[in-house]
Amino acid sequence: MKLKMIKDDIFWVGAVDWDRRLFDALIPLPDGTSYNAYLIYGSEKTALLDTVDPSMTAVLMSHLEDVKNIDFIISHHAEQDHSGALPHVLDKYKSAKVVASPKGKPMLVEHLHIPEERIITVNDGETLSLGNKTLEFIHAPWVHWPETMFTYLREDKMLFTCDLFGSHFATSDIFYSDYWHVCDAAKRYYAEVMMPFRTTIQKHLEKIKKYDISMIAPSHGPVHKDPECIVGSHQEWVSDRVSNTVVIPYVTMHGSTQLMVDYLAEILADNGVKVEKFNLAVADTGKLAMSLVDAATLVIGSPTVLSGAHPVVVSAVFLANALKPKLKFASIIGSYGWGGRMVEQIKGLMSNLKLEMLEPVIIKGLPKDEDYKALDRLANEIVDKHKAAIKN
Ligand code: FEO
């Protein structure tokens, strides 16, 4: 099989998963994904960088059909979408060694039952020579697991970053022509997986600044020939800057909460605030996560069900809390029929979010004049808070 060449002696040998629509039984993948593996031929040794998801093992092995020998398999990350085919590769290449970080080794043993003696560990900054090519390992814990590392291929100025800078984006092209399409997929991926580790990723972006990088090869989605674009996008996402945006995830049962959400959204928009509404009965949770990457404010809308928030809202708030977006402000709006503890319940689910809670607007039944006035008050407060918090 003809391999896809990236540069002289560097090939893509991964698998494109066009049909996958869900990751971790949670994360929507509207554009499919790819599991990228790369083969590097040095003058003396050959290295395979990562493998593929277990479901795509046959594809990887078909790409390796004519590869006689592999000396090293670099495992940047023990998660199974990249390490799952390792046992098959080790079975074919009996003398190959897996190269992992010290934290990666026990994870490969635990999750894949790789024999310990087949794994060697490398420290941060350690190098491995393939002859005329040198691999430098850069530890990057908590891209979202604790063991992750990158590889810098010195002579070719290529940085292999595993999940970081990746995108769940199935394509037959190694490179892309439409950056913004890939950037959108990368933002979704960052939001769903890496946002909780924002401050750690800030450090990783700082750490790679000293490297002269001509190309970034992640383990999902296309390779970046213009690293500045994708690095710049990530720098913005992980920065402390927020945008003049209010995200409103909500659900409505008999229309009261819908009326409140629509009214608040209109007043905010009239005052120059961007609003992103997500009716959770039909919303794509990936898009909701993306909207939280840089929004200044979250307003949760819920009716009262069995004395608490609607369960769909509870699920969304739980997710937002786990993703730890850089929100500055939040509030809660909604209605009740005869009572309840919806506000206390929602606030209790937001303990990770270090933000200022603005006075909620909770009403009985359909909104009346004084309820719309309370929404005016909330909108004005948000507008004023944004003016003070968002500097151009
Ligand atoms: Fe693509 Fe964290 O695995």
Side-chain angles (χ1 to χ4, degrees):
M1 177 175 285
K2 192 168 180 290
L3 300 183
K4 289 184 174 177
M5 190 166 83
I6 296 175
K7 290 185 78 175
D8 286 347
D9 298 323
I10 304 171
F11 298 89
W12 179 91
V13 292
V16 180
D17 199 340
W18 296 90
D19 297 333
R20 189 160 184 178
R21 287 293 173 269
L22 207 56
F23 204 94
D24 292 343
L26 174 69
I27 298 168
L29 303 182
D31 299 314
T33 191
S34 66
Y35 317 107
N36 298 336
Y38 302 94
L39 190 67
I40 302 176
Y41 288 109
S43 55
E44 294 169 19
K45 304 281 186 188
T46 299
L48 175 68
L49 276 60
D50 291 316
T51 68
V52 298
D53 189 84
S55 61
M56 293 270 157
T57 299
V59 177
L60 172 69
M61 298 316 284
S62 73
H63 289 153
L64 298 179
E65 195 173 12
D66 299 326
V67 177
K68 297 279 179 287
N69 184 53
I70 288 176
D71 299 284
F72 303 108
I73 306 158
I74 315 302
S75 176
H76 291 117
H77 178 25
E79 192 167 11
Q80 290 85 340
D81 52 330
H82 309 295
S83 64
L86 260 175
H88 290 82
V89 179
L90 287 172
D91 196 44
K92 176 172 178 181
Y93 301 100
K94 303 285 188 204
S95 61
K97 294 282 190 193
V98 178
V99 179
S101 70
K103 282 191 177 149
K105 178 174 177 174
M107 296 177 93
L108 293 171
V109 172
E110 292 289 343
H111 291 302
L112 294 150
H113 296 179
I114 307 284
E116 282 195 42
E117 62 274 16
R118 303 249 0 220
I119 307 173
I120 55 177
T121 61
V122 286
N123 292 320
D124 188 29
E126 198 170 330
T127 58
L128 179 67
S129 175
L130 305 179
N132 63 343
K133 292 189 187 293
T134 312
L135 307 181
E136 177 181 341
F137 303 105
I138 304 166
H139 284 193
W142 294 112
V143 165
H144 78 117
W145 277 26
E147 84 305 9
T148 310
M149 64 179 191
F150 306 151
T151 295
Y152 182 62
L153 177 54
R154 283 182 178 170
E155 291 76 8
D156 295 275
K157 300 186 169 94
M158 280 187 74
L159 186 65
F160 297 86
T161 54
C162 200
D163 283 341
L164 189 63
F165 307 124
S167 52
H168 285 308
F169 187 77
T171 170
S172 60
D173 298 330
I174 295 285
F175 307 105
Y176 50 82
S177 52
D178 178 358
Y179 173 69
W180 293 110
H181 196 166
V182 172
C183 182
D184 213 42
K187 186 175 186 182
R188 175 186 278 265
Y189 188 37
Y190 165 81
E192 292 164 336
V193 173
M194 291 162 228
M195 187 155 61
F197 309 98
R198 184 174 71 90
T199 52
T200 305
I201 292 172
Q202 282 173 352
K203 291 180 189 137
H204 296 335
L205 296 183
E206 208 48 48
K207 191 171 181 179
I208 63 171
K209 270 187 182 166
K210 69 174 183 180
Y211 294 90
D212 184 8
I213 302 168
S214 67
M215 213 182 282
I216 287 179
S219 56
H220 296 288
V223 172
H224 302 277
K225 257 186 184 172
D226 179 3
E228 276 181 29
C229 286
I230 195 69
V231 173
S233 295
H234 279 72
Q235 276 168 340
E236 189 57 35
W237 300 335
V238 301
S239 76
D240 294 332
R241 287 182 290 279
V242 290
S243 69
N244 184 21
T245 302
V246 174
V247 174
I248 312 180
Y250 73 98
V251 76
T252 192
M253 289 166 66
H254 301 295
S256 295
T257 305
Q258 183 76 58
L259 287 169
M260 296 176 76
V261 166
D262 291 346
Y263 183 81
L264 180 69
E266 195 173 321
I267 301 292
L268 288 168
D270 286 349
N271 284 278
V273 178
K274 183 181 173 191
V275 177
E276 296 196 48
K277 287 198 290 187
F278 293 91
N279 181 342
L280 296 169
V282 294
D284 170 347
T285 49
K287 283 206 165 168
L288 171 59
M290 281 170 80
S291 74
L292 293 173
V293 167
D294 50 18
T297 298
L298 174 69
V299 175
I300 298 148
S302 179
T304 304
V305 186
L306 299 174
S307 79
H310 192 287
V312 172
V313 171
V314 169
S315 172
V317 176
F318 181 89
L319 186 65
N321 185 61
L323 293 176
K324 297 185 193 168
K326 54 186 174 186
L327 293 159
K328 302 276 188 214
F329 312 103
S331 191
I332 304 163
I333 63 174
S335 65
Y336 63 93
W338 49 89
R341 295 176 52 77
M342 191 232 299
V343 167
E344 292 83 348
Q345 186 190 37
I346 291 176
K347 280 184 180 173
L349 291 168
M350 297 170 68
S351 57
N352 282 343
L353 304 179
K354 307 299 176 213
L355 46 72
E356 180 182 346
M357 183 62 72
L358 309 180
E359 182 66 30
V361 179
I362 306 300
I363 69 162
K364 187 169 187 178
L366 276 173
K368 299 172 278 300
D369 284 350
E370 65 262 32
D371 301 325
Y372 287 117
K373 286 198 179 89
L375 290 169
D376 286 336
R377 187 270 307 153
L378 177 59
N380 289 335
E381 194 177 1
I382 291 170
V383 170
D384 290 344
K385 293 283 183 188
H386 281 203
K387 278 183 186 153
I390 303 166
K391 313 281 182 228
N392 289 324

